[in-house]
Amino acid sequence: SMPLPFILYASWGNVFDFSLNSLRTLSIIIAILTHIGFYILLTKLVRDNSKILFTAVFLVVHPYIAGFSVFIFTDMLPITVSIFGLLAILQNRWILWLCCSVTGILSRQYFVFFTLPVGLWYGLGYLKTRDRKQLLMVLITSVSIFPALLLFALWGGVSPRNSINHLYVGHAFSYHPEYLTLYISQLFLYLSPLFLVKWRTFYTNR
């Protein structure tokens, strides 16, 4: 976890109040922005209105997303900027991409696995086409990592020196096999709506 979501909720609490309902209101606002962004993204990628509606509803009722939308979790913000980041990439809007990448990395460190492939993609595109817009996106992607690097320099590592640092950094390469079973099971569970929609195609192709 990175500090931005905590700063955001703290700022909201200072302006309004720190009651449970007040903080949950911010979660709902972020969730609404996420769902709107996801719907817009679908309209850019899918032409079938029924599929757009089905997929948008599926995101809303997804167990994780439903929880993130109502309770006070810091996970929804990187999901939100992931969606708007994809929109920025599709439309080559570098300012939006810069904001999304910086926000994502300052929310969760694993967001860098979204940022770096985007930079690589545009880098390969520039080598192929010599398009300056591609080079600009490479530079923007590189710049978006610097705020996190400054924090790492301030902390003297990937997190502040506290008990959380010892827990996660000290056991960074440990893994619990039972989580693998859980994630594999959830994969089939979450894909089940797609099977219900496409089951006829599945049997026809056979």
Side-chain angles (χ1 to χ4, degrees):
S1 295
M2 294 287 272
L4 183 59
F6 301 98
I7 294 173
L8 181 61
Y9 276 93
S11 300
W12 177 275
N14 283 321
V15 173
F16 300 100
D17 63 77
F18 285 94
S19 67
L20 190 60
N21 289 334
S22 174
L23 296 179
R24 283 184 175 179
T25 300
L26 177 57
S27 295
I28 293 172
I29 292 173
I30 296 174
I32 291 173
L33 290 175
T34 305
H35 299 318
I36 292 175
F38 188 63
Y39 178 81
I40 295 173
L41 178 63
L42 290 174
T43 60
K44 303 294 183 183
L45 301 175
V46 182
R47 295 184 179 182
D48 190 329
N49 290 330
S50 61
K51 291 180 180 179
I52 292 175
L53 179 62
F54 176 83
T55 309
V57 170
F58 177 64
L59 181 72
V60 173
V61 300
H62 188 288
Y64 278 156
I65 300 299
F68 295 158
S69 301
V70 178
F71 300 112
I72 305 170
F73 288 106
T74 60
D75 304 72
M76 184 60 92
L77 189 58
I79 296 173
T80 306
V81 296
S82 295
I83 292 172
F84 282 95
L86 289 172
L87 283 171
I89 294 168
L90 286 174
Q91 301 172 352
N92 289 317
R93 299 172 61 181
W94 64 269
I95 295 179
L96 178 59
W97 167 241
L98 175 63
C99 295
C100 290
S101 184
V102 170
T103 302
I105 296 174
L106 291 181
S107 299
R108 283 290 191 276
Q109 291 183 11
Y110 57 67
F111 196 90
V112 73
F113 292 108
F114 182 14
T115 295
L116 292 180
V118 170
L120 178 61
W121 170 262
Y122 280 110
L124 294 174
Y126 174 74
L127 293 176
K128 182 178 180 180
T129 64
R130 298 298 176 180
D131 185 353
R132 292 186 177 180
K133 292 182 180 179
Q134 304 268 14
L135 180 60
L136 175 63
M137 291 295 282
V138 174
L139 295 176
I140 290 299
T141 303
S142 302
V143 169
S144 69
I145 301 175
F146 274 94
L149 295 179
L150 291 175
L151 276 179
F152 295 160
L154 177 65
W155 294 337
V158 295
S159 70
R161 300 294 180 180
N162 52 28
S163 58
I164 300 297
N165 177 284
H166 174 74
L167 176 63
Y168 288 105
V169 178
H171 300 83
F173 296 100
S174 62
Y175 191 78
H176 301 278
E178 61 269 20
Y179 289 164
L180 179 61
T181 305
L182 174 64
Y183 293 148
I184 292 175
S185 302
Q186 289 176 334
L187 175 65
F188 290 98
L189 177 64
Y190 294 148
L191 289 177
S192 59
L194 299 178
F195 174 78
L196 294 177
V197 173
K198 290 291 186 178
W199 68 273
R200 291 184 179 180
T201 305
F202 174 77
Y203 283 106
T204 301
N205 291 338
R206 291 185 65 185

